[in-house]
Amino acid sequence: MSAPLLAIRDLTVSFATRRGGHAFQAVSGVDLTVQSGEVHGVVGESGSGKSVTMLAVMQLLSQSATIAGSIMLDGQELTALSDRQMRKIRGARIGYIFQDPMTALNPLLTVGEQIAEAVRIHRGDVGHKHAVARAIDLLRLVAIPNPEKRANQYPHEFSGGMRQRAVIAMAMANEPDLLIADEPTTALDVTIQAQIMELLDQLRREKNIGIVLVTHDLGVVAGVAKSLSIMYAGRVVERGLVDDVFAAPHHPYTKGLLESLPQMDERVERLSAIAGAPPPISARPSGCPFHPRCPYVIERCRSERPVLRPVGPIDVACHRAEIVAADKGTLQDA
Amino acid sequence: MFAYVTKRLIAMPFLLLGVITVAFLLTHFTAADPLTSIIGERQMNNPEVVEAARQRWGLDRSLPEQYLVYLGNLVTGDFGTSFRTRQPVAQDLILRLPATLELVIAAMMLGTLFGITLGVLAARFRGGVIDNLARLFALIGASAPVFWSGLLVLFVFSVQLGWLPGPGRIDARAVAPPFVTGFFTIDTLLAGDWTGFRSVLLHLLLPASVLGWTVTGIVSRMVRASMLDVLSQEYILAARAKGASPVRVLLHHALRNAMLPTLTIIGFSFAYLITGAVLTETIFAWPGIGSYAVSAARGLDHPAIVGVTIIGGAAFLIANLLTDIAYAVVDPRVKLGAKAGA
Amino acid sequence: MSILSSRSASSRFVWPEWATLPLVGGGVVILAWIIIGLTIPWWTPYDPTNLAGMRFQPPGAEHWLGTDALGRDVLTRTLYGVRHSFPIAVFVIGCAVVIGCTLGAIAGYVGGWLDSVIMRFVDITLSFPPILLAMAVTASLGPGLGNAAIAMVIVWWPIYARLMRAQVLSVRSREHVEAAVASGASRSRVLIKHILPLCWSPIIVNATMDFGQVVLLAASLSFIGLGAVPPTPEWGQMISEGAIQFYRWWIALGPGLAILSVVLASNFLGDGLRDYLDPRAS
């Protein structure tokens, strides 16, 4: 296998507090690998650090953030780039799809202008006319009907699903190698969600791009992703091929996520199968961050933080992974 | 949007009638006798002269009668005859309106330009030195009396430094351009008089800056606040994710959106500009409506005072209407709202 | 106290929470002017209206802000000016608040045709540039500070009427008011006991901010020649004397700075009061 498209190694992101007090780690020692032509799911509840990780890849975090570790795109170290160099990566080699298409489009510019802008920022030689023509092509690519007319409309004239298609068109404007989709369907109606996921998968097949699909919904990942990483409290707790993880989750958190799937219609982020809530970023527990909510908890979990280790085909950060994997009962029974 | 504008346009005449009525009433509860200023104090003892003047100016009729006569004349564009200049008030106003408009428009352009620049910088460097300096500069502009700051800049830039000319619209030795539009900037250009044009611009700079300074604060504070609001929106992050440069993000994406709330404030600042124009014109010997109003008020020139007040009120109403229309034109969302509402 | 000290544990003196910089700074300046106005006859070496030295002396040790065309001390006159500006501003704001709030409360609470009539009158009055209206009324009543004050009341009351009406409308729909109505309280009792006490904070904030604006407009009218008449040491009047002699910059400097300080201070004070009375608004 060649060098991975995206390789994040030991990424740590910390935020300084306003008064210069001690920093909080939003992301701690995250490793992540994405190959060309495959969808990698990053799953976790809000506050688990998944979005922060992705914004770190784009280097779009606020100035109070400090990044440590390595982020390689196709063998190129992104953390070493200046902002000017990074601008040539953003939108050109990495496309970014935001969670809420209602807010990700500038209300005062037509949809066509915004897509054309994405083209022209990176292709100085493309004239305005050609950029608009390209924008129309892109709208056609994402299956927006009547793209010539739609290009001249403003975002508020689009429905939610159409808007997200426009955002995807914008992200695809320069045929990037990598698409980062940050909760691309969360703000949409259920049936529209399926259409958008199908569109992303189709783009992956046709253009052979790598996609990072960030979501809190394992169900979304199940359909399209080949591999996935589960994040909890700023760390990756389980990682592997979707088939393997779904067949036998090794981390109790993953187990809980899977069990709560059927009830996860609509946009329920709270997981009914797992008691309690994820810890706030400022007060993460000692030892295993999941231990206060974990039914398999033993004394060791409270004091010693488990590291990611291979168990069968899966990497997992749990002292009791073998027991969890073997347990056929539900989380609540445990 | 069309329905909205029509509704506003239909309301206009009624508001104007109200403005005329109030202006007329407030200036006719007179304690001071305008007769004194017409015929002079010495002639007040001469009953014949007094009676003749009374009849001539319609002062012998009852108030409601005077009002109806005034309203009737107004319809034909007759604001009455000034006690002082002995000219029709309408003619006085038309001759002087361009000077005021030229000053107010120049001031609005300067003030808005400065206000937007300061507001954008303040938002970009929020909490820093630039932010605080911008706030101080704007605050002083809004708080200092123009008739005082006008004096100071006149003293500094004209007398001490000699960089800019003193009061007046054009160099005293130069000949005023032939009256076409009444805007000296335009008229000198039409006459091909480049020296005159330059002189007019230089003369315009000080009064327009002083007057514009008064609204810099209103504009910059609004721009700053709405810029901060806009900069936290996701589409700004989306623009950066496209690879847009910081300047492009700031000006093309953020400022455009921040200008929406700012537009209303620019219309609102028109109120300040009119008030300021009255006083600025006095300081800079500017032959506009403002200085006309001041001499009319000092000379108890009733027809002129009522005329000026009505024109001022009308200007206010029109400015507000234009602001609302501009808002609807710039924001694509307003169009839809009006369509759905109609 | 424990919350406060933990917030700024490093500094030894702990400011109380309400003592923000705008509130204290603005308050100190206004208070200083009030003290000056009350005590000034006892401590100035010069008389405000009589000759104090050579004419047109630039600022120096004898006359800190110089002397004017009649040889009067500019600083003394400037300080005396507060005795004209402040009483006028208090009178104008007081009358405008009383008239405006009464009519606004009636309009908001009674509604119907009375509301329409009052508010149309408010709309029309507010559609004039304030200075033109004030000039027209003053000219009609005859020049003089007293008439200028009356003119300014006419200009200002609609602002409070509009404000008060909006307040009453928002408060009257609250539950405790509806409860009072349901329990059979009379309309005037509901208005006075249950609605009005909750309406005051924006009125107070606005009145504080407008204080400086009234001082400014009064000075403007005097500057034009419609307010104070010579030899009154009124700020606007003094600046107009300075304008004639504007090569002698110091004559207008004192009164200009005085107006600036009052307008700035009342702005800050109003801002601070708003934050204090209604923290959500900021």
Side-chain angles (χ1 to χ4, degrees):
Chain A
M1 199 181 272
S2 61
L5 177 60
L6 178 70
I8 300 176
R9 293 288 167 263
D10 202 21
L11 178 75
T12 298
V13 180
S14 38
F15 288 92
T17 51
R18 224 179 282 164
R19 283 161 204 274
H22 57 279
F24 296 124
Q25 281 190 4
V27 172
S28 316
V30 163
D31 286 1
L32 212 69
T33 308
V34 182
Q35 303 289 351
S36 282
E38 72 163 54
V39 176
H40 183 84
V42 176
V43 183
E45 289 164 282
S46 46
S48 62
K50 53 196 197 308
S51 289
V52 172
T53 307
M54 292 310 130
L55 287 174
V57 171
M58 293 296 270
Q59 310 225 350
L60 282 178
L61 290 165
S62 72
Q63 292 185 333
S64 60
T66 320
I67 298 176
S70 154
I71 302 168
M72 307 272 270
L73 180 72
D74 224 356
Q76 187 184 17
E77 179 59 57
L78 296 187
T79 56
L81 296 183
S82 69
D83 188 60
R84 187 177 292 270
Q85 291 167 316
M86 196 57 214
R87 290 211 299 270
K88 297 208 175 85
I89 306 272
R90 290 183 203 132
R93 303 204 49 207
I94 310 177
Y96 205 103
I97 298 164
F98 288 87
Q99 172 173 355
D100 189 353
M102 304 290 168
T103 58
L105 289 167
N106 190 326
L108 293 190
L109 301 174
T110 64
V111 171
E113 278 176 288
Q114 297 189 53
I115 300 172
E117 185 196 17
V119 176
R120 294 199 65 190
I121 284 172
H122 298 284
R123 298 277 311 272
D125 56 319
V126 176
H128 179 72
K129 246 189 200 158
H130 283 93
V132 171
R134 170 93 179 112
I136 292 170
D137 284 345
L138 284 160
L139 287 175
R140 195 172 289 123
L141 177 75
V142 296
I144 287 183
N146 208 349
E148 290 86 358
K149 179 169 162 260
R150 287 298 198 159
N152 285 321
Q153 290 183 335
Y154 289 92
H156 69 262
E157 297 170 82
F158 277 54
S159 68
M162 283 296 151
R163 271 191 229 195
Q164 193 59 299
R165 285 173 190 270
V167 170
I168 293 172
M170 207 157 85
M172 288 298 296
N174 296 293
E175 308 227 318
D177 307 315
L178 176 69
L179 259 190
I180 299 176
D182 189 354
E183 304 258 12
T185 60
T186 311
L188 303 175
D189 293 329
V190 196
T191 45
I192 309 295
Q193 289 188 18
Q195 293 176 352
I196 295 292
M197 289 318 302
E198 177 52 34
L199 171 65
L200 285 176
D201 197 43
Q202 177 203 333
L203 289 173
R204 175 193 65 80
R205 272 181 272 128
E206 287 173 8
K207 311 275 179 188
N208 194 40
I209 50 178
I211 296 179
V212 182
L213 178 62
V214 178
T215 178
H216 65 271
D217 186 351
L218 266 180
V220 171
V221 169
V224 291
K226 187 176 170 207
S227 56
L228 59 64
S229 301
I230 310 280
M231 286 187 72
Y232 187 81
R235 295 175 191 279
V236 174
V237 294
E238 182 158 11
R239 179 172 72 194
L241 294 178
V242 172
D243 291 341
D244 296 334
V245 172
F246 275 53
H250 282 52
H251 197 284
Y253 178 62
T254 317
K255 198 171 158 72
L257 284 178
L258 277 169
E259 280 166 19
S260 53
L261 256 188
Q263 294 137 18
M264 291 261 310
D265 59 343
E266 305 290 299
R267 288 156 216 171
V268 187
E269 276 208 40
R270 187 66 93 71
L271 302 166
S272 49
I274 309 172
I281 184 174
S282 52
R284 287 190 171 152
S286 63
C288 173
F290 189 63
H291 84 252
R293 302 169 76 187
C294 183
Y296 297 95
V297 64
I298 53 172
E299 200 45 46
R300 188 180 168 204
C301 302
R302 293 184 223 276
S303 53
E304 186 189 335
R305 188 169 53 76
V307 289
L308 217 53
R309 64 192 166 98
V311 176
I314 287 172
D315 293 333
V316 63
C318 178
H319 297 308
R320 310 197 67 201
E322 289 81 357
I323 291 148
V324 176
D327 188 358
K328 295 290 175 233
T330 66
L331 201 61
Q332 274 149 337
D333 303 334
Chain B
M1 158 157 174
F2 180 73
Y4 172 72
V5 173
T6 337
K7 213 161 96 187
R8 293 291 308 265
L9 282 175
I10 290 171
M12 272 297 268
F14 294 99
L15 279 169
L16 265 180
L17 185 68
V19 161
I20 292 165
T21 312
V22 169
F24 183 87
L25 285 179
L26 286 180
T27 45
H28 279 73
F29 289 121
T30 314
D33 193 346
L35 268 178
T36 323
S37 64
I38 303 173
I39 54 179
E41 252 173 86
R42 274 195 217 154
Q43 297 280 6
M44 285 300 281
N45 296 325
N46 186 336
E48 277 174 40
V49 178
V50 169
E51 196 46 42
R54 258 189 215 286
Q55 278 192 355
R56 175 142 183 251
W57 300 103
L59 298 173
D60 54 344
R61 309 209 199 152
S62 71
L63 199 62
E65 271 181 299
Q66 285 188 40
Y67 174 65
L68 287 178
V69 169
Y70 188 78
L71 218 52
N73 289 338
L74 216 52
V75 175
T76 63
D78 182 1
F79 282 75
T81 309
S82 160
F83 291 165
R84 280 171 316 116
T85 65
R86 316 266 158 175
Q87 302 285 329
V89 172
Q91 187 191 320
D92 279 349
L93 290 176
I94 286 171
L95 282 175
R96 286 166 161 269
L97 191 61
T100 299
L101 282 181
E102 194 167 43
L103 176 64
V104 167
I105 290 171
M108 196 176 245
M109 277 160 50
L110 282 177
T112 312
L113 204 70
F114 253 93
I116 292 174
T117 314
L118 285 182
V120 169
L121 286 176
R124 173 69 185 75
F125 303 103
R126 173 192 197 179
V129 181
I130 293 181
D131 189 8
N132 285 316
L133 280 182
R135 187 175 306 176
L136 189 70
F137 177 81
L139 205 58
I140 291 177
S143 305
V146 275
F147 51 92
W148 175 67
S149 48
L151 278 183
L152 286 189
V153 297
L154 208 51
F155 176 75
V156 172
F157 291 100
S158 178
V159 177
Q160 286 296 103
L161 300 171
W163 290 352
L164 289 166
R169 287 183 83 186
I170 191 167
D171 196 78
R173 287 157 298 178
V175 188
F179 189 97
V180 183
T181 60
F183 287 77
F184 275 17
T185 40
I186 298 174
D187 287 355
T188 46
L189 282 182
L190 288 179
D193 177 4
W194 284 100
T195 355
F197 179 68
R198 190 169 167 273
S199 170
V200 167
L201 274 192
L202 288 177
H203 275 83
L204 193 54
L205 194 56
L206 272 189
S209 304
V210 167
L211 187 50
W213 194 11
T214 59
V215 296
T216 302
I218 310 174
V219 176
S220 73
R221 230 184 285 181
M222 194 70 197
V223 169
R224 179 181 182 274
S226 43
M227 276 297 274
L228 287 178
D229 180 44
V230 168
L231 283 175
S232 67
Q233 300 287 321
E234 196 157 61
Y235 56 79
I236 294 299
L237 200 60
R240 293 178 63 202
K242 279 193 233 175
S245 69
V247 174
R248 187 176 175 84
V249 169
L250 208 60
L251 298 185
H252 189 67
H253 288 274
L255 183 57
R256 252 178 115 116
N257 283 281
M259 281 309 289
L260 283 183
T262 310
L263 259 180
T264 40
I265 219 76
I266 291 174
F268 171 75
S269 69
F270 196 74
Y272 279 73
L273 288 175
I274 298 248
T275 302
V278 171
L279 300 159
T280 313
E281 285 184 6
T282 318
I283 287 288
F284 287 92
W286 204 260
I289 302 273
S291 51
Y292 183 74
V294 169
S295 5
R298 277 185 186 149
L300 305 182
D301 185 350
H302 277 255
I305 296 170
V306 186
V308 166
T309 314
I310 289 171
I311 290 293
F316 242 49
L317 290 175
I318 292 169
N320 285 339
L321 180 69
L322 288 182
T323 309
D324 286 352
I325 293 177
Y327 196 83
V329 169
V330 175
D331 190 347
R333 285 163 297 186
V334 173
K335 284 181 207 164
L336 186 83
K339 235 186 271 167
Chain C
M1 268 320 278
S2 64
I3 301 165
L4 290 177
S5 47
S6 73
R7 222 188 68 178
S8 51
S10 53
S11 63
R12 200 166 292 168
F13 178 74
V14 180
W15 283 96
E17 187 89 35
W18 55 267
T20 53
L21 191 64
L23 199 67
V24 173
V28 164
V29 172
I30 297 287
L31 198 68
W33 274 117
I34 292 174
I35 293 171
I36 289 171
L38 291 176
T39 63
I40 188 159
W42 290 290
W43 51 266
T44 43
Y46 303 109
D47 186 276
T49 48
N50 281 321
L51 189 105
M54 299 268 292
R55 301 165 61 222
F56 295 133
Q57 277 189 55
E62 282 280 297
H63 304 283
W64 293 354
L65 286 178
T67 59
D68 66 6
L70 299 176
R72 297 170 297 195
D73 184 66
V74 174
L75 179 59
T76 306
R77 284 173 66 73
T78 302
L79 295 179
Y80 265 96
V82 73
R83 305 185 104 195
H84 298 276
S85 295
F86 273 40
I88 285 201
V90 169
F91 170 80
V92 170
I93 297 284
C95 291
V97 166
V98 169
I99 298 171
C101 289
T102 309
L103 291 176
I106 291 172
Y109 193 63
V110 177
W113 64 268
L114 201 57
D115 180 26
S116 303
V117 169
I118 293 176
M119 291 324 287
R120 284 305 80 73
F121 203 67
V122 164
D123 286 343
I124 288 165
T125 314
L126 283 179
S127 53
F128 288 101
I131 192 161
L132 280 184
L133 193 59
M135 277 167 62
V137 177
T138 316
S140 162
L141 295 172
L145 264 185
N147 288 341
I150 293 172
M152 285 189 283
V153 172
I154 292 176
V155 170
W156 241 284
W157 74 266
I159 296 174
Y160 293 100
R162 194 175 265 186
L163 209 67
M164 192 59 168
R165 178 175 176 270
Q167 278 298 106
V168 168
L169 282 180
S170 90
V171 172
R172 71 180 256 185
S173 59
R174 288 193 202 163
E175 274 176 20
H176 80 271
V177 177
E178 283 170 1
V181 174
S183 70
S186 74
R187 279 158 72 91
S188 56
R189 188 185 160 79
V190 169
L191 181 62
I192 292 166
K193 281 269 168 188
H194 297 277
I195 297 182
L196 289 186
L198 290 169
C199 294
W200 289 114
S201 53
I203 305 281
I204 291 169
V205 170
N206 252 269
T208 312
M209 289 188 158
D210 282 353
F211 186 84
Q213 293 303 315
V214 172
V215 167
L216 187 59
L217 187 58
S220 306
L221 290 173
S222 293
F223 171 79
I224 289 168
L226 293 174
V229 285
T232 317
E234 199 276 344
W235 292 332
Q237 162 65 29
M238 288 174 70
I239 293 178
S240 88
E241 286 166 14
I244 303 165
Q245 309 282 351
F246 84 91
Y247 282 46
R248 278 127 182 163
W249 52 271
W250 61 85
I251 298 177
L253 187 70
L257 287 177
I259 298 172
L260 182 62
S261 75
V262 173
V263 177
L264 279 178
S266 81
N267 247 323
F268 278 129
L269 195 59
D271 255 349
L273 272 179
R274 178 173 45 208
D275 292 348
Y276 175 67
L277 292 172
D278 187 10
R280 285 161 302 154
S282 60

